[in-house]
Short mmCIF file of all heavy atoms in Angstrom, two decimals:
data_model
loop_
_atom_site.label_atom_id
_atom_site.label_comp_id
_atom_site.label_asym_id
_atom_site.label_seq_id
_atom_site.Cartn_x
_atom_site.Cartn_y
_atom_site.Cartn_z
N MET A 170 -1.47 63.50 30.20
CA MET A 170 -1.53 62.95 31.56
C MET A 170 -1.74 61.45 31.51
O MET A 170 -2.51 60.93 30.70
CB MET A 170 -2.66 63.63 32.34
CG MET A 170 -2.40 65.09 32.66
SD MET A 170 -3.73 65.85 33.60
CE MET A 170 -3.64 64.95 35.14
N PHE A 171 -1.04 60.71 32.39
CA PHE A 171 -1.17 59.26 32.44
C PHE A 171 -2.61 58.87 32.77
O PHE A 171 -3.23 59.45 33.67
CB PHE A 171 -0.24 58.66 33.49
CG PHE A 171 1.22 58.87 33.22
CD1 PHE A 171 2.12 59.08 34.25
CD2 PHE A 171 1.72 58.84 31.93
CE1 PHE A 171 3.47 59.25 34.02
CE2 PHE A 171 3.06 59.03 31.67
CZ PHE A 171 3.94 59.23 32.72
N SER A 172 -3.11 57.85 32.07
CA SER A 172 -4.45 57.34 32.36
C SER A 172 -4.43 55.90 32.82
O SER A 172 -5.37 55.44 33.46
CB SER A 172 -5.34 57.47 31.12
OG SER A 172 -4.76 56.80 30.01
N ALA A 173 -3.36 55.15 32.50
CA ALA A 173 -3.24 53.75 32.92
C ALA A 173 -1.77 53.35 32.84
O ALA A 173 -0.96 54.05 32.24
CB ALA A 173 -4.10 52.84 32.04
N PHE A 174 -1.44 52.21 33.47
CA PHE A 174 -0.06 51.73 33.44
C PHE A 174 -0.04 50.22 33.61
O PHE A 174 -1.02 49.61 34.05
CB PHE A 174 0.77 52.39 34.55
CG PHE A 174 0.42 51.89 35.93
CD1 PHE A 174 1.11 50.83 36.50
CD2 PHE A 174 -0.59 52.49 36.66
CE1 PHE A 174 0.79 50.37 37.77
CE2 PHE A 174 -0.92 52.04 37.93
CZ PHE A 174 -0.23 50.97 38.49
N ALA A 175 1.09 49.60 33.25
CA ALA A 175 1.30 48.17 33.47
C ALA A 175 2.77 47.93 33.76
O ALA A 175 3.64 48.44 33.04
CB ALA A 175 0.87 47.36 32.25
N LEU A 176 3.05 47.18 34.82
CA LEU A 176 4.42 46.79 35.15
C LEU A 176 4.80 45.56 34.34
O LEU A 176 4.02 44.60 34.24
CB LEU A 176 4.53 46.45 36.64
CG LEU A 176 4.79 47.58 37.63
CD1 LEU A 176 4.67 47.03 39.05
CD2 LEU A 176 6.15 48.20 37.42
N ALA A 177 6.00 45.54 33.78
CA ALA A 177 6.50 44.36 33.08
C ALA A 177 6.75 43.24 34.08
O ALA A 177 7.08 43.51 35.24
CB ALA A 177 7.77 44.68 32.30
N PRO A 178 6.60 41.97 33.68
CA PRO A 178 6.78 40.86 34.62
C PRO A 178 8.11 40.89 35.36
O PRO A 178 8.18 40.56 36.54
CB PRO A 178 6.66 39.63 33.72
CG PRO A 178 5.80 40.07 32.59
CD PRO A 178 6.16 41.51 32.36
N GLY A 179 9.19 41.27 34.71
CA GLY A 179 10.49 41.30 35.38
C GLY A 179 10.69 42.49 36.28
O GLY A 179 11.68 42.55 37.03
N GLY A 180 9.78 43.46 36.23
CA GLY A 180 9.88 44.63 37.09
C GLY A 180 10.90 45.66 36.67
O GLY A 180 11.20 46.57 37.43
N LYS A 181 11.46 45.51 35.45
CA LYS A 181 12.49 46.45 35.02
C LYS A 181 11.96 47.54 34.08
O LYS A 181 12.69 48.48 33.77
CB LYS A 181 13.63 45.69 34.35
CG LYS A 181 14.39 44.79 35.31
CD LYS A 181 15.57 44.13 34.62
CE LYS A 181 16.35 43.27 35.60
NZ LYS A 181 17.53 42.63 34.96
N SER A 182 10.74 47.38 33.62
CA SER A 182 10.17 48.39 32.74
C SER A 182 8.69 48.58 33.04
O SER A 182 8.08 47.78 33.75
CB SER A 182 10.37 48.03 31.26
OG SER A 182 9.63 46.88 30.92
N LEU A 183 8.15 49.64 32.50
CA LEU A 183 6.79 50.07 32.79
C LEU A 183 6.20 50.66 31.51
O LEU A 183 6.90 51.34 30.76
CB LEU A 183 6.82 51.13 33.90
CG LEU A 183 5.55 51.89 34.23
CD1 LEU A 183 4.69 51.05 35.16
CD2 LEU A 183 5.89 53.22 34.89
N VAL A 184 4.93 50.38 31.26
CA VAL A 184 4.24 51.00 30.13
C VAL A 184 3.14 51.90 30.66
O VAL A 184 2.36 51.50 31.53
CB VAL A 184 3.64 49.93 29.18
CG1 VAL A 184 2.82 50.60 28.08
CG2 VAL A 184 4.75 49.09 28.57
N THR A 185 3.11 53.14 30.18
CA THR A 185 2.05 54.08 30.55
C THR A 185 1.26 54.47 29.31
O THR A 185 1.77 54.42 28.18
CB THR A 185 2.63 55.36 31.18
OG1 THR A 185 3.51 56.00 30.24
CG2 THR A 185 3.39 55.04 32.46
N THR A 186 0.02 54.85 29.51
CA THR A 186 -0.81 55.34 28.41
C THR A 186 -1.40 56.69 28.79
O THR A 186 -1.61 57.00 29.96
CB THR A 186 -1.97 54.38 28.09
OG1 THR A 186 -2.84 54.28 29.24
CG2 THR A 186 -1.45 53.00 27.75
N SER A 187 -1.63 57.49 27.78
CA SER A 187 -2.40 58.73 27.91
C SER A 187 -3.38 58.73 26.75
O SER A 187 -3.51 57.74 26.03
CB SER A 187 -1.48 59.96 27.86
OG SER A 187 -0.82 60.03 26.61
N SER A 188 -4.08 59.83 26.55
CA SER A 188 -5.11 59.85 25.50
C SER A 188 -4.52 59.81 24.11
O SER A 188 -5.22 59.50 23.15
CB SER A 188 -5.98 61.09 25.66
OG SER A 188 -5.22 62.27 25.50
N ASN A 189 -3.22 60.11 23.95
CA ASN A 189 -2.67 60.12 22.60
C ASN A 189 -1.33 59.42 22.45
O ASN A 189 -0.70 59.51 21.40
CB ASN A 189 -2.54 61.57 22.09
CG ASN A 189 -1.61 62.40 22.95
OD1 ASN A 189 -1.04 61.91 23.92
ND2 ASN A 189 -1.44 63.66 22.59
#
Side-chain angles (χ1 to χ4, degrees):
M170 291 180 66
F171 296 145
S172 56
F174 72 93
L176 274 173
K181 294 184 178 181
S182 67
L183 171 83
V184 175
T185 60
T186 62
S187 62
S188 62
N189 61 1

